[in-house]
Amino acid sequence: MIRAVDAGWLRDRLGGDDVTVIDPRRRNRYLSGHLPRAISMPVEEVLDDDGRLIGDDDLVSWLGRGGVAAEGTAVVYADDDGQSGAMLAWILEYLGHPDVRFLITRFEHWRDEGGELFYRPVASTPTAFAATPRDGVRVTRDDVRNGAGLLDTRTHEEFAGLQVIADDPPGHIPGAVNLSHRLFLGKDKDLLVASEEMTARLTDVGLGLEQPVVTYCRVGLRASVVWLALHLGGVPAMLYDGSLLDWVSEPDAPVETG
Amino acid sequence: MNRVVGGVGGVRRGVHVCRGNWSRREDVHLQGNYGPMLPYLVQMDVDQLVLEMATPRAGEIEVFKEYGNEKEIGIGVVNPRGDTVEDAATIVSRVEQFLQYFDPDKVFLNPDCGFGTFAERSLNPPEVATAKLKSISTAAAQLRARYG
């Protein structure tokens, strides 16, 4: 289970050998300033041309090449709306890393408050990531066919079919309700909303805690942000990382508008 | 770059990174710190990095803290596009910030870019360019007196 940590927690542990700080942002952002000791693992490297995650074996190889082992403590941080950090945290959780922490303090706050930054790439030693995929973290198309607990985290316009991206069919997976991932973003130093605010948003659209919430979007990135917010808030949640592009890849997959 | 400068000797070799020099509007030129470029710049077989540092677009100086003294640095200390002449004291103060990361003998002063600017369309008349170069010269003299 991923745990949220703040900047103070991280500062106190930066000297420890068992902590691996991971920067999931694009390489040029990493080089423009990263947290102390952070290694660069740009999540864009594990997305295909459509923006979807590559296969499990390739993910495991990527983590190992980057020097991330399934041991010790992994600390992931993020900027902007947290997509890259949330997806990396989800990947680590899904593949069985034993101790993942998410820095709830957004990178911009660390930087703007004078937190120390480094610029030179931090060298890492390739290793092997011994994956033990966890159940209850990822769902596939077959799991979401009944639409139960399905949360579409795209914008209202995308959900309703008023805005279409590329060749996507307009609309959403039948049975889904809609809450944009931006509703789960914090407004101050914390990247994600507090759990009580999050629970209220779920209640507003008729989602309770009795069954896991399944988040999806177009390619899984925005949905990973909401998945992480729910996970950190103690709400059972799973990610349909294939999301809409996977859903509509099956001929005649139903899609609703409105 | 290394193939281009390979075999060139007897001169000081430098590389300049231009962020745009055709307009007085700062918002149309490239901005951001040198972090994404420095891992590559320090691998070039050149003696000096000639970098624009005279405007906020250049980003924070702290970016050099892990690259100090790996190359000489030509610090852009005047804006060749603006007509406000930077005074020597301001230039000295700016250069002294770089001395946290570079030894004095590694530091050179220069305009951010050429005064000819883009397509021979100078944005400053010769009098302004001359005044800016005089400020650089005055600042350099003060810095040499202070740091040898």
Side-chain angles (χ1 to χ4, degrees):
Chain A
M1 180 178 172
I2 301 171
R3 282 175 280 182
V5 295
D6 62 16
W9 182 96
L10 181 59
R11 282 194 190 92
D12 290 343
R13 286 160 181 81
L14 280 171
D17 290 337
D18 62 340
V19 172
T20 303
V21 183
I22 310 176
D23 186 320
R25 303 172 303 151
R26 291 176 183 272
R27 184 75 172 172
N28 65 341
R29 289 196 183 189
Y30 171 80
L31 292 172
S32 294
H34 56 78
L35 263 53
R37 291 182 51 187
I39 60 173
S40 176
M41 298 290 291
V43 162
E44 64 176 336
E45 292 181 354
V46 292
L47 306 177
D48 67 15
D49 291 344
D50 289 325
R52 291 183 292 182
L53 268 188
I54 59 177
D56 286 10
D57 290 346
D58 290 333
L59 283 175
V60 169
S61 298
W62 175 72
L63 289 168
R65 279 198 311 277
V68 179
E71 60 189 34
T73 299
V75 182
V76 179
Y77 64 93
D79 63 5
D80 278 354
D81 65 354
Q83 291 185 27
S84 58
M87 181 55 90
L88 181 56
W90 180 85
I91 291 169
L92 293 169
E93 177 73 4
Y94 165 60
L95 292 176
H97 193 290
D99 186 13
V100 182
R101 311 293 177 110
F102 184 78
L103 184 64
I104 198 73
T105 310
R106 62 174 77 243
F107 172 82
E108 294 90 336
H109 184 79
W110 174 288
R111 179 195 63 202
D112 296 345
E113 291 297 304
E116 188 168 24
L117 296 180
F118 288 83
Y119 301 89
R120 196 148 198 152
V122 173
S124 60
T125 305
T127 184
F129 186 96
T132 51
R134 287 190 171 97
D135 293 330
V137 179
R138 179 183 224 176
V139 297
T140 63
R141 181 195 291 122
D142 287 341
D143 301 317
V144 299
R145 283 192 194 281
N146 65 6
L150 200 52
L151 177 59
D152 187 317
T153 62
R154 299 174 300 157
T155 64
H156 169 71
E157 289 74 17
E158 290 172 272
F159 176 82
L162 303 172
Q163 180 189 359
V164 173
I165 297 176
D167 297 325
D168 300 353
H172 55 267
I173 300 174
V177 294
N178 177 227
L179 286 172
S180 164
H181 81 293
R182 294 205 166 273
L183 295 171
F184 293 83
L185 300 178
K187 292 180 175 59
D188 191 14
K189 62 184 175 62
D190 288 352
L191 203 146
L192 299 170
V193 294
S195 59
E196 55 273 20
E197 189 175 346
M198 182 187 62
T199 305
R201 295 195 187 292
L202 294 177
T203 304
D204 286 346
V205 293
L207 293 177
L209 305 179
E210 62 278 2
Q211 66 174 343
V213 175
V214 174
T215 66
Y216 83 95
C217 55
R218 181 170 185 268
V219 294
L221 283 165
R222 287 176 284 181
S224 71
V225 175
V226 180
W227 173 84
L228 181 62
L230 300 177
H231 182 84
L232 294 176
V235 176
M238 294 188 284
L239 175 67
Y240 179 23
D241 58 290
S243 282
L244 187 70
L245 284 194
D246 178 69
W247 177 258
V248 300
S249 67
E250 185 177 78
D252 302 322
V255 176
E256 288 180 347
T257 56
Chain B
M1 175 63 80
N2 289 348
R3 287 169 65 189
V4 168
V5 301
V8 177
V11 294
R12 177 175 271 114
R13 295 172 299 189
V15 60
H16 170 58
V17 181
C18 187
R19 292 167 175 258
N21 204 25
W22 65 88
S23 171
R24 288 189 170 183
R25 283 183 51 193
E26 285 297 302
D27 62 332
V28 301
H29 299 304
L30 299 175
Q31 60 182 317
N33 72 37
Y34 285 96
M37 302 189 73
L38 280 168
Y40 309 100
L41 291 173
V42 296
Q43 294 181 56
M44 293 181 182
D45 291 335
V46 298
D47 305 296
Q48 187 174 135
L49 307 179
V50 185
L51 303 178
E52 301 188 5
M53 296 300 307
T55 73
R57 288 184 296 105
E60 65 271 28
I61 294 174
E62 190 188 22
V63 75
F64 296 101
K65 70 180 182 183
E66 295 165 90
Y67 297 95
N69 283 335
E70 290 189 34
K71 300 286 187 189
E72 296 173 347
I73 184 163
I75 306 170
V77 290
V78 300
N79 178 354
R81 298 168 300 277
D83 53 13
T84 301
V85 177
E86 294 83 352
D87 63 78
T90 301
I91 295 173
V92 167
S93 174
R94 179 75 165 156
V95 171
E96 284 180 329
Q97 295 176 50
F98 282 85
L99 295 178
Q100 299 173 82
Y101 311 124
F102 293 89
D103 293 338
D105 64 352
K106 295 277 190 185
V107 171
F108 294 70
L109 310 190
N110 42 259
D112 257 4
C113 199
F115 283 102
T117 66
F118 183 71
E120 299 181 356
R121 180 175 155 270
S122 297
L123 294 173
N124 267 321
E127 308 80 61
V128 174
T130 302
K132 286 175 178 267
L133 291 172
K134 280 182 177 173
S135 276
I136 294 178
S137 177
T138 303
Q142 292 176 8
L143 287 161
R144 284 194 194 98
R146 196 172 298 176
Y147 298 101

